Amino acid sequence: MLSSACFFSRCALIILSTLQMIDRVKGQQQQQCSETDYYYEYTECDSTGSRWRVAIPQTPGTCSGLPEPVHGTECTFSCKAGEFLEMSAQQCTQCAAGSYSLGSGIRFDQWDSMPVGFSSMATSMENDPHRDVTCNSSAWLPQGNYLESNRDECTVSLIYAVHLKKQGYVSFDYQYPDNNLEFEFFIQNDQCQEMDQSAENKWLKLTHHGEWATHTVNLKSGTNILYWRTGSVLGTKMVKPVLLKNIQIEGVAYTSECFPCKPGTFSRVPGSSTCEPCPRDTFSDHGASSCTPCNIATQYAEEGSAACKERPPCSKKDYFQIHTPCDPDGKTQIMHKWIEPKICLEGVPGAETLPQSGEREPCPQCNPGFYNDTPTCSPCPPETYSDGIKPCERCPAGTEPILGYEYKWWNVLPSNMKTSCFNVGNSKCDRMKGWEVARDHIHSGAGSSDNDYLILNIHVPGFKLPTSVSSQSLTEFGRITFEFETMCTADCEFYFMMDINRTSTTVVQSWEKTNKRQTYTHVMTKNASVSYTWTFQRTNQPSAVRRYVNDVAKIYSITVTNALDGVSSGCQACALSTLPSSSACVPCPPGHYIDTHSSKCVECPPNTYLAPHSAAGPDACQPCGPSSKSDKDHRQCYSDCQFTHTDGNVTLTFNFSLLESAVSLMNSPKFTSKGTKYFHVFNISLCGEQGRLAMCTDNVTDLSVSNSGRENDEGPSAVKSFICQSTIIPASGRGFHTALSSQSINLADTFLGATVDDSLAGIKASPELFPQTSKKVPDINFFYRSLEATSSCESGRSAVVTLRCNPDKSANGQLLVPSLCSEGTCDGCTFHFLWESSGACPICTERDYHLIEGVCKGGHQDMLYVWTEPKQCIGGVALPEKKTLPCEGMEYWIRFGAGIGTFTAVLLISLTCYFWKKNKRLEYKYSRLVMSANKECEMPAADSCAVMEGENEGEMDDDVVYSKPSLFRKLKAIASKGNGEKYENMQLNSSQSKELVWS
């Protein structure tokens, strides 16, 4: 049974035969076809691997007598590069001069317009059909020598379909300069309808910033659909696009014609597989076999030009200023040089002349670690040091040189630094310097156009720690510090990048437009070979002229510590070996400082940490903040999850071990201007043994690192600190295979302490951001700081995590950011977090519960303990169990007390009645005595007149005078003292008168 290809091939032959018979019938009325009236094509291969060559008229029906179909070449037949298949003879023939061929391949190297077969398809990052309209203008754009991707967050795919008769490959050059961009390439083959997820679907990653990289992927026979897909991670700023050029595909069946050389190129001999660019100051047209020289006197042309240009009059933009190297007399001067290649004309109206050279002046001093024995400073020998002025001296015994680089004088470019110029579209600035030295600084050069990358690079082969520092448990092997400024009128950008072990270039920090003079420091946490690169670009828009030549970046100083091949500007004390016969320096154990008097290692006191880059002596050990302790190596301070607060006589004890595990906070979703959804995720490690850290990763340009590698901090973009932040873009609806995590930043790598106060070490907690309803348990603030400076935070970032007791929350609780500042920060430098949790409550003590006594029933009484509401404590002491006690003894004492009370009441009533009766009796006697004195005894001397009838003296004496009063008489006297005072006085007078009469 015939295959479908064979069936259609036979059908085509039948149809063609029928047409030819019709032509023969009409041949008497039509002229015979000439070779220019038709062309040859091959039919599809049948199941036997054969095909037919047929003639196809240029215009059907205009002539007759087409050649008969004949057997064609084998389906796998193809010509070599530089040849094409001549269909008449079905033989390979060399291409003529001025043209080229790839044999069984095709190449796309001219991008003045989009070649036939290529198409762009733009979609929104979110799979929302209502948002796709915002991406209609996003596409890959031809830029002459290369193809440029879109500059927004839309996903744009460049698509090309090709049919291969045999296995082949696709190769292309690309540039991937921006980590905020994602770039994916994959292939869809008709033999596997789904996308191949193995070698044919591979994320691409720029290996060196500012350089083109080549990628090659094998192709299967059949139809292959090639996809280049890119899009910005976030559309928060103008990203640098991906660039493509020189796309070449091998594996097509044959080439039936040669391709003419494009303008600006030529092929001088037949059988060429490529066309060469025309040299400088020459040009060529389409299909040229040689280049035509320009009129050098008035014209110029760049390499690979299609036409000559008129030379303009020279201007200030055509020359630049340099400082000459020191001459043998130690002098230097300012000179001006024309930018090469020189394209301007001198001596014409309006032309500028080259300024005269400046006066010769003394060269600047040598940089620290170098000495001036030649016009160019030389590095000091090993084990010696110099400040750049004095001769090199050997370090004294018990000390060692401090290795590193310290460049602050720029007369010549240091030997371990290099400078270059790079342009994304061509190589017209490759031979130019990117940076120029200028005595007290080094600045960006002129370049050939405004979008050139001006590159300055320094290579450090590794780091060598001082012998007084142990490499165990060390997190800092060295650091680089540089002072710079930028002055721009356009959209310039200044990059600082690093390349570890020549694997990939990572952008560490970048600055846009004008930036005042400032210092930036980066810490190296791995002992590896590293290249640091500074790149300045005046504008990222395609440009062939220099309009912003006065936009400049300046670097004043560069310092690298602990460089393996560094020089020394001084010496530092080191610990001596314990062996008497040895005087070599030995490293101090972790957490030990050097005693300058004895040159011995001394361990830092408890709860202090060894400050990096500090002087020798006990001052190198800095105390940890409140409620913090140092790890065993005295590298950092951390919280051990224990906290105590005393207010008056009340002491609250907290145990935050339930909050020990790292926690994540994802804020509410945000959307870019084109609808891309993203989140900010904060990872926080509050406390724990030895200061465990949270980690944030970046998988946009780091997909070659496995998940296990990211967990072990193997990726160059991983960030480990107490608090870090990542930007997450979900995978749903975007067409990519995984969620993207990018822009990881360190917010807190130093723990300052925990306190109930609102400020610590200059950082304020801002309690008004999180209003508190109850103040029975105070909020506890954890203060952190990161010393990594940014363009908006020169002193680094800081963070405050506020713990609040909330018994209604779970142990993990809820982590919040201020409602007024959904990004976690209101000023971009200080981040605030509120962590409400039951795990933030104090430990329960006996004062947190009270006793409730039940009523006595049946001789028993319940004793119940309950928590004081609202309960705001966890753990600690347990609530005592319920007790039941007998209550008989208590009823006896109650009855006894009631009896005593009753007896006392009766006694008081009886005494009251007795005293009242006695008082009445005394009043009566007193009134009789007064009456007798006024009527019967007018003579004062008659004492006896006070005696009433029927009363004898003895009885009266017994009533008034008491020799030995009894208890009741004493009570009677006390009770009647006030009422009978006059009577007693009178009785006393009467007794005295009586005594007088008897005498």
Side-chain angles (χ1 to χ4, degrees):
M1 189 173 181
L2 295 176
S3 65
S4 58
C6 180
F7 173 76
F8 286 115
S9 178
R10 296 291 177 86
C11 290
L13 289 175
I14 295 173
I15 293 173
L16 288 172
S17 299
T18 304
L19 291 176
Q20 291 175 356
M21 291 176 61
I22 295 173
D23 289 340
R24 282 194 292 270
V25 173
K26 297 181 178 180
Q28 297 178 351
Q29 301 177 355
Q30 296 177 344
Q31 60 180 359
Q32 291 292 323
C33 292
S34 63
E35 293 183 356
T36 60
D37 293 330
Y38 60 88
Y39 63 94
Y40 291 109
E41 283 283 355
Y42 279 129
T43 63
E44 291 291 335
C45 294
D46 57 22
S47 60
T48 63
S50 61
R51 55 187 174 181
W52 294 81
R53 190 198 69 176
V54 296
I56 307 297
Q58 299 283 359
T59 305
T62 57
C63 64
S64 62
L66 292 174
E68 295 288 338
V70 298
H71 281 284
T73 61
E74 295 181 358
C75 291
T76 58
F77 175 83
S78 62
C79 296
K80 298 186 298 183
E83 298 179 344
F84 72 100
L85 181 64
E86 204 281 315
M87 294 293 290
S88 297
Q90 297 193 72
Q91 293 180 349
C92 293
T93 306
Q94 283 188 339
C95 293
S99 64
Y100 75 98
S101 80
L102 300 177
S104 60
I106 52 178
R107 177 188 294 146
F108 303 96
D109 55 6
Q110 181 64 25
W111 302 95
D112 295 322
S113 60
M114 191 68 76
V116 176
F118 283 88
S119 61
S120 285
M121 182 177 67
T123 58
S124 173
M125 284 288 195
E126 295 296 322
N127 192 16
D128 187 348
H130 300 290
R131 290 177 178 163
D132 287 351
V133 67
T134 62
C135 293
N136 288 342
S137 60
S138 301
W140 287 77
L141 301 176
Q143 298 292 348
N145 293 327
Y146 58 90
L147 195 63
E148 177 184 284
S149 70
N150 56 306
R151 295 172 178 257
D152 52 33
E153 72 267 29
C154 293
T155 301
V156 181
S157 297
L158 176 68
I159 305 173
Y160 183 75
V162 62
H163 185 78
L164 301 185
K165 293 298 183 180
K166 60 180 181 180
Q167 290 185 353
Y169 66 87
V170 58
S171 173
F172 56 90
D173 296 338
Y174 72 96
Q175 189 189 49
Y176 186 9
D178 200 332
N179 287 339
N180 292 316
L181 204 64
E182 54 185 348
F183 180 34
E184 187 179 17
F185 171 71
F186 60 89
I187 302 165
Q188 184 175 356
N189 189 273
D190 60 355
Q191 297 180 2
C192 49
Q193 296 300 322
E194 296 184 358
M195 299 175 186
D196 190 348
Q197 302 295 324
S198 57
E200 296 180 354
N201 182 14
K202 188 175 183 181
W203 285 83
L204 302 182
K205 184 177 179 182
L206 182 65
T207 55
H208 297 287
H209 183 87
E211 297 181 5
W212 288 91
T214 301
H215 188 69
T216 302
V217 181
N218 293 328
L219 300 178
K220 299 178 181 179
S221 60
T223 301
N224 292 268
I225 304 177
L226 312 181
Y227 294 84
W228 293 267
R229 183 162 59 183
T230 184
S232 172
V233 173
L234 287 177
T236 54
K237 67 171 185 176
M238 185 71 72
V239 297
K240 294 188 178 300
V242 171
L243 307 181
L244 283 177
K245 68 177 183 180
N246 297 336
I247 299 177
Q248 181 172 331
I249 302 173
E250 288 286 343
V252 297
Y254 62 89
T255 299
S256 60
E257 61 180 349
C258 296
F259 300 98
C261 294
K262 66 180 181 179
T265 63
F266 72 101
S267 62
R268 64 179 79 239
V269 295
S272 297
S273 60
T274 59
C275 295
E276 303 176 36
C278 287
R280 191 178 300 277
D281 294 329
T282 64
F283 72 98
S284 69
D285 292 327
H286 189 78
S289 59
S290 63
C291 298
T292 304
C294 298
N295 183 358
I296 302 300
T298 59
Q299 296 177 328
Y300 76 98
E302 301 288 350
E303 182 180 4
S305 295
C308 296
K309 299 179 181 179
E310 296 296 326
R311 294 183 180 271
C314 291
S315 66
K316 293 181 179 180
K317 296 179 180 180
D318 294 308
Y319 64 83
F320 61 95
Q321 174 184 299
I322 65 169
H323 283 70
T324 63
C326 286
D327 57 22
D329 297 330
K331 301 289 185 178
T332 183
Q333 64 181 147
I334 295 176
M335 295 184 63
H336 296 84
K337 295 179 62 177
W338 294 112
I339 296 176
E340 296 294 341
K342 182 183 177 184
I343 62 173
C344 64
L345 291 176
E346 297 182 79
V348 298
E352 291 280 344
T353 59
L354 199 65
Q356 296 294 325
S357 300
E359 298 291 334
R360 296 174 70 241
E361 55 186 6
C363 292
Q365 69 181 59
C366 295
N367 284 307
F370 292 80
Y371 68 100
N372 190 4
D373 64 339
T374 61
T376 58
C377 299
S378 301
C380 287
E383 307 299 329
T384 63
Y385 70 97
S386 173
D387 59 358
I389 301 177
K390 300 178 182 178
C392 299
E393 300 179 9
R394 184 167 296 277
C395 291
T399 64
E400 61 179 337
I402 306 172
L403 298 180
Y405 313 127
E406 189 177 353
Y407 301 131
K408 57 182 180 180
W409 298 109
W410 304 91
N411 186 62
V412 294
L413 193 68
S415 60
N416 62 342
M417 299 183 70
K418 63 179 181 180
T419 177
S420 60
C421 177
F422 173 80
N423 186 277
V424 296
N426 49 52
S427 58
K428 60 185 178 181
C429 79
D430 284 353
R431 294 183 294 272
M432 301 180 66
K433 287 185 177 181
W435 292 69
E436 296 287 345
V437 294
R439 193 177 177 86
D440 65 339
H441 69 274
I442 182 172
H443 61 80
S444 54
S448 61
S449 62
D450 287 338
N451 67 334
D452 290 344
Y453 287 102
L454 307 176
I455 302 169
L456 179 66
N457 175 272
I458 181 173
H459 179 67
V460 183
F463 296 88
K464 182 181 180 181
L465 295 172
T467 56
S468 57
V469 178
S470 174
S471 61
Q472 299 177 359
S473 305
L474 192 66
T475 58
E476 178 178 338
F477 289 89
R479 59 175 56 192
I480 180 170
T481 302
F482 58 93
E483 186 178 6
F484 73 98
E485 69 175 340
T486 58
M487 293 172 287
C488 301
T489 57
D491 57 334
C492 71
E493 195 157 6
F494 181 55
Y495 298 91
F496 173 61
M497 301 168 289
M498 70 176 182
D499 180 5
I500 300 177
N501 292 330
R502 301 187 183 276
T503 55
S504 64
T505 301
T506 302
V507 177
V508 179
Q509 186 63 275
S510 63
W511 297 266
E512 297 177 352
K513 299 183 178 180
T514 298
N515 292 271
K516 64 180 181 179
R517 187 167 176 173
Q518 58 187 278
T519 300
Y520 181 81
T521 299
H522 176 72
V523 177
M524 187 67 182
T525 58
K526 297 180 180 179
N527 192 355
S529 173
V530 59
S531 291
Y532 296 109
T533 303
W534 296 265
T535 301
F536 180 71
Q537 188 183 37
R538 292 182 170 92
T539 177
N540 63 1
Q541 301 298 326
S543 174
V545 297
R546 294 188 296 269
R547 291 181 297 172
Y548 308 111
V549 69
N550 292 325
D551 291 4
V552 65
K554 296 181 179 180
I555 297 178
Y556 292 93
S557 65
I558 299 175
T559 302
V560 181
T561 63
N562 301 337
L564 183 62
D565 61 344
V567 294
S568 176
S569 61
C571 301
Q572 64 183 2
C574 60
L576 296 176
S577 173
T578 56
L579 298 177
S581 60
S582 175
S583 60
C585 293
V586 295
C588 284
H592 289 64
Y593 67 92
I594 301 174
D595 188 352
T596 55
H597 299 289
S598 62
S599 295
K600 300 293 184 181
C601 296
V602 180
E603 185 178 4
C604 285
N607 294 331
T608 62
Y609 67 97
L610 189 63
H613 302 282
S614 57
D619 293 339
C621 301
Q622 301 294 324
C624 293
S627 298
S628 65
K629 59 189 305 182
S630 63
D631 56 12
K632 62 180 181 180
D633 295 332
H634 298 275
R635 290 184 298 112
Q636 65 179 1
C637 299
Y638 69 99
S639 170
D640 61 353
C641 301
Q642 305 297 322
F643 183 80
T644 301
H645 171 63
T646 301
D647 185 8
N649 296 327
V650 178
T651 298
L652 299 178
T653 302
F654 297 81
N655 184 356
F656 303 130
S657 58
L658 296 177
L659 311 178
E660 184 176 358
S661 301
V663 66
S664 297
L665 165 65
M666 178 179 290
N667 60 6
S668 57
K670 296 176 176 56
F671 298 88
T672 63
S673 59
K674 292 194 175 182
T676 303
K677 181 192 297 184
Y678 67 95
F679 302 87
H680 282 160
V681 175
F682 300 93
N683 291 332
I684 299 177
S685 180
L686 186 73
C687 61
E689 184 65 24
Q690 303 301 320
R692 64 177 60 183
L693 301 176
M695 185 173 68
C696 299
T697 58
D698 185 348
N699 66 357
V700 174
T701 58
D702 211 19
L703 294 182
S704 59
V705 181
S706 63
N707 291 331
S708 61
R710 294 190 191 100
E711 293 176 359
N712 296 326
D713 191 21
E714 295 179 2
S717 301
V719 174
K720 294 188 70 175
S721 63
F722 289 103
I723 304 175
C724 59
Q725 173 190 299
S726 294
T727 300
I728 304 295
I729 302 177
S732 59
R734 302 177 62 255
F736 293 94
H737 311 297
T738 181
L740 297 181
S741 173
S742 68
Q743 301 178 4
S744 298
I745 58 176
N746 168 26
L747 301 181
D749 53 17
T750 303
F751 177 60
L752 300 178
T755 177
V756 297
D757 297 332
D758 295 336
S759 62
L760 181 65
I763 302 175
K764 295 185 178 180
S766 301
E768 65 276 4
L769 296 176
F770 305 108
Q772 187 177 9
T773 58
S774 175
K775 295 186 178 180
K776 182 178 179 181
V777 177
D779 290 344
I780 302 171
N781 299 312
F782 281 65
F783 292 87
Y784 300 88
R785 173 171 287 156
S786 172
L787 297 179
E788 293 184 6
T790 65
S791 56
S792 58
C793 308
E794 297 181 358
S795 300
R797 300 182 180 94
S798 57
V800 182
V801 180
T802 301
L803 296 186
R804 178 170 295 172
C805 171
N806 190 339
D808 297 331
K809 300 289 184 180
S810 63
N812 292 331
Q814 183 180 14
L815 196 61
L816 303 171
V817 294
S819 58
L820 300 177
C821 313
S822 60
E823 299 292 333
T825 176
C826 300
D827 58 4
C829 297
T830 303
F831 290 77
H832 301 272
F833 305 93
L834 175 65
W835 196 343
E836 285 190 292
S837 166
S838 59
C841 295
I843 296 175
C844 294
T845 61
E846 294 180 355
R847 65 173 174 271
D848 293 308
Y849 63 82
H850 59 276
L851 173 65
I852 297 179
E853 299 180 359
V855 297
C856 186
K857 293 183 179 180
H860 293 82
Q861 182 182 29
D862 292 335
M863 310 296 288
L864 181 64
Y865 295 89
V866 295
W867 294 111
T868 302
E869 294 296 338
K871 180 186 177 184
Q872 291 187 319
C873 65
I874 59 171
V877 299
L879 199 65
E881 297 181 356
K882 175 183 175 182
K883 297 180 181 180
T884 301
L885 301 177
C887 52
E888 289 183 352
M890 186 174 296
E891 294 180 354
Y892 168 79
W893 287 108
I894 291 175
R895 291 194 299 269
F896 178 78
I900 294 297
T902 304
F903 174 76
T904 304
V906 173
L907 180 60
L908 291 176
I909 294 173
S910 303
L911 290 175
T912 302
C913 294
Y914 173 78
F915 291 146
W916 178 79
K917 182 178 179 182
K918 196 69 174 177
N919 187 49
K920 286 294 185 178
R921 186 176 178 184
L922 291 174
E923 287 180 0
Y924 173 75
K925 291 181 179 180
Y926 174 72
S927 60
R928 292 290 302 270
L929 180 60
V930 172
M931 292 175 59
S932 301
N934 291 336
K935 296 181 178 180
E936 300 175 2
C937 304
E938 295 180 0
M939 296 300 292
D943 257 350
S944 60
C945 66
V947 179
M948 300 179 61
E949 292 183 0
E951 297 182 13
N952 53 40
E953 292 184 7
E955 185 179 358
M956 186 177 62
D957 292 340
D958 292 338
D959 294 337
V960 180
V961 181
Y962 304 99
S963 58
K964 293 183 179 180
S966 63
L967 174 61
F968 292 106
R969 292 186 178 275
K970 291 180 180 179
L971 293 176
K972 175 184 175 183
I974 294 173
S976 60
K977 181 178 181 182
N979 295 329
E981 184 177 2
K982 293 181 180 180
Y983 172 73
E984 290 176 357
N985 290 336
M986 186 178 296
Q987 184 183 22
L988 180 58
N989 293 334
S990 177
S991 301
Q992 293 175 353
S993 302
K994 190 174 182 181
E995 291 176 358
L996 291 174
V997 174
W998 284 104
S999 61

